[in-house]
Amino acid sequence: MKHTITAVRARQLWDSRGRPTVEAEIELAGGSIGRAMAPAGASRGAHEAIDLRDGGEAFGGYGVARATAAVNGAIAKALVGRDVRDQAGLDAVLEQLDGTPAFARLGANAAVSTSLAAVHAAAAAEGMPLWRYLADGRKVRVPLPEIQIFGGGAHAGRRTDVQDFMVMCPRAPTVRRAFEITADVYRAAGAIMEESGRLAGVADEGGWWPLFTSNEEALETLAHAIDRSGHKAGHDVFISLDVAANELSHDGGYRLPLDGAELTSEQIVDRVAVWTAKYPILSIEDPVSQDDMAGMALATERFGGTVQLIGDDFLVTNAERVRRAAENRACNAVLVKVNQAGTVSRAKAALDAARELGWSAIVSARSGETEDVSISHLSVGWDAGQLKVGSFTRSERMAKWNELLRIEEQMGSDAEYAGFGALPASVAAAHA
Ligand code: PGA
Ligand code: ZN
């Protein structure tokens, strides 16, 4: 049985912030090996699976000796001898072994690296690239990328309140062309920042680290950068924001220090609504905080017909939270971060729940990343339609964009770019 798991190992490696992370490796009787590394968030939701850290003095408390030991010990013992193709079964074993809903005991970093290593090993045993193994003969598309130009919030010393200022190129004919356009915008934005003395470096996900005096200045500058790149805002290039409003929560409301504003839930929705009316915004993530259902429902009512409204910290890649949001008419899209869920099967369940509702889905990286390119394959193999990886610089980001280009090449004449088709139907109709 070439698919039988013969060994499960983990090692401590390092992520893009120079913090320890877990790499898991699964070996099969046939000799195939699969490996994967856990990413790590900085602006995390309270309801996501737990990234287990050792605490204490060493490595600022970020050590992963306990998570690594869990893989090498209990997890290895439970998985050796099983058929690697039974992903649901393997993920269920991880859940049972942990016994808590959020992987508090083994650590979601142990679970996610193991779960992803299994799917890599299974694909390797079939001699297939991971995306093709996951597609399982179905027609799948090359995702529409969401790419950061300015980084703020928890990723850039809170230089802006809004965390990510990104661009999307749904009208491009191919992802290859979408990247070329984005590279032009990124360069133009950097030049504008440098000329105006507002460039302070590069943020955690590779976007420019800006010195702005208001959140709207970032939007204006981004629109200006699109113009200067020679592409057309609202036609070739659209703006996407991740407000990451969890980080702005304060005293039952929201505090935006850069704008000198203290806002209620209704007021922050108002403010974002004004931005969507004034700028070519196609997508907004987490305009309110993780438990503000009324605020998210209001945002969805106000602009969810024409703008993709993504729940990240709000939904934490949890199928149950997706369905509950839908019952409350909140959101029209889910962000899918495998490590928020803890396993590949749970992440896929959140994506499937969204799809059943007619929502869109975006497979996403974390701010702490590695050279691991699993998510490029998941976004294609699951036909998610969209991929969010951070900016267009730094190799932990570029590795994932570049992998998409290799996948596009492997698809040959079958390659189809998801473009506007990746968005909720009413949003696509409003802009296409
Ligand atoms: P995180 O942020 O990876 O730091 O949690 C990414 C996001 O909010 O999308
Ligand atoms: Zn987010």
Side-chain angles (χ1 to χ4, degrees), residues 131 140-143 376-384 404 407 411:
W131 71 267
V140 294
R141 298 163 300 168
V142 182
S376 309
H377 287 264
L378 297 183
S379 70
V380 176
W382 285 345
D383 197 28
L404 220 45
I407 294 172
M411 291 172 127

Side-chain angles (χ1 to χ4, degrees), residues 163 242 244 285-286 312 335 337 388:
Q163 179 182 281
D242 182 359
E285 184 173 324
D286 285 346
D312 169 15
L335 202 74
K337 291 168 163 170
K388 180 188 179 203

Side-chain angles (χ1 to χ4, degrees), residues 36 48 105 129 134 185 304 330 371 404:
E48 63 177 271
R105 238 168 50 78
L134 292 168
V185 175
E371 60 273 28
L404 220 45

Side-chain angles (χ1 to χ4, degrees), residues 315-325 334 341 346-354 357:
L315 298 171
V316 292
T317 316
N318 180 311
E320 211 37 61
R321 287 182 73 93
V322 167
R323 285 188 280 265
R324 202 176 329 134
V334 65
R346 277 191 184 172
K348 179 63 167 34
L351 181 129
D352 288 343
L357 293 161

